[in-house]
Amino acid sequence: MTAALPGAGLGVGVVGGGFMAQVHARSARLAGARLVGLSSSSPESAARAAQQLGFERGHASLEDLLADESIDVVHVCTPNALHAEQAAAVLASGRDVVCEKPLATTVADAAALVEQAASAGRTATVPFVYRFHPLVREARDRVARGDTGRVLTVAASYLQDWLLTADDDNWRVDADLGGASRAFADIGSHLVDLVEFVTGDRIVRIAGRTRTFVADRAQHRGVTNEDAAALVVETAGGAVGTLLVSQVAPGRKNRLHLEVAGAAESLAFDQEHPETLWLGRREGSVLLPRDAAQNSDAANRYSVVPSGHPQGYPDAFAAFVADSYAAARGEDPDGLPRFTDGLRAAVVTESVLRAAATDGWVDVPA
């Protein structure tokens, strides 16, 4: 007998109608959930997006959406500055919530959401979806069981080029909508989450710089949040590393790269080529493919098609949403990123901004 999909019977609402709303809606559908309602910046845009994405109806406002008793879980996919208020409203309504990152633009707001979710006893997750690539789970498993030996160094980068020129513009460059940090809060948070998830270690000290290279854009003048950040980090376990984040790297579309060097073995994962994991050895380095016969159970749990049939970002996102719905039903999926992880990202982001304003190291609060 085939097990029911984790979202079977769940009614889903989405706040927002842009690209991320599309990704969330597709993943919810794959998990077996019912796409009930969508609200956006106006009743007209909500009606339009609801029709395009296959929702049963558009709602005039978030309040209207939360009054819909057929909705069980809400996905918040709006500009960053709205996340805290909207996620809090969802939790106050007694529903489970999936909130886009950054969870909040301040540590205080993120911490308040963690407390509220705990008090309400609701499932509250944040899509750090790169955790859900099978070979990321393989890398994590190899570190945890000691195959890499003691972690010595980390070299990680997340590079994009979509905001390269002055003609490139987006609401995220507006600090009032996107927050004081842009590149790091948006994609650097993914990078730090992946470093800490794979190594099982925490970054405890940071030194570095941020830069805004394009201050005047097509519709925004005097941009203050950063285009790039370069950091040196130290972990609780004694490893050292470098992190480079940029949204102005020509030719790089979405290149998240992680390399961990251990005393016995190195690991390297490239999100643009997620079907192989590089295993670096002093003699006989190899490329490990996503293959059930060669991978751990932790990796195979997220392999949804046989080896040779490529998986990628949509599959990772769908796995995250499916695990979120499983948690809403009372399960406890391993490695599910929750609001505590969103708070962690806010703490690290704030530390990056403090480091950029100094000439020395800053401690990252635990």
Side-chain angles (χ1 to χ4, degrees), residues 27-80:
S27 297
R29 187 181 293 110
L30 287 173
R34 172 183 160 210
L35 303 184
V36 177
L38 180 147
S39 66
S40 189
S41 56
S42 70
E44 294 75 23
S45 63
R48 184 168 56 251
Q51 183 177 27
Q52 292 172 344
L53 300 181
F55 283 80
E56 295 175 9
R57 50 189 167 272
H59 288 282
S61 65
L62 174 59
E63 292 74 21
D64 188 31
L65 184 147
L66 294 177
D68 189 336
E69 294 183 359
S70 60
I71 293 175
D72 303 298
V73 57
V74 177
H75 295 240
V76 177
C77 308
T78 50
N80 303 348

Side-chain angles (χ1 to χ4, degrees), residues 70-148:
S70 60
I71 293 175
D72 303 298
V73 57
V74 177
H75 295 240
V76 177
C77 308
T78 50
N80 303 348
L82 301 175
H83 290 177
E85 178 183 353
Q86 292 177 339
V90 175
L91 288 168
S93 76
R95 291 175 171 87
D96 301 306
V97 60
V98 179
C99 183
E100 261 301 325
K101 26 74 35 197
L103 177 59
T105 57
T106 69
V107 170
D109 284 346
L113 285 172
V114 169
E115 283 192 22
Q116 185 180 0
S119 297
R122 308 308 307 183
T123 295
T125 64
V126 181
F128 288 121
V129 298
Y130 299 114
R131 294 184 179 195
F132 292 85
H133 282 292
L135 289 180
V136 166
R137 296 295 175 126
E138 177 71 22
R140 179 184 184 230
D141 202 50
R142 296 181 76 87
V143 173
R145 67 180 185 235
D147 291 5
T148 61

Side-chain angles (χ1 to χ4, degrees), residues 150-151 201-202 235-239:
R150 179 190 174 194
V151 174
D201 201 0
R202 283 289 182 97
T235 73

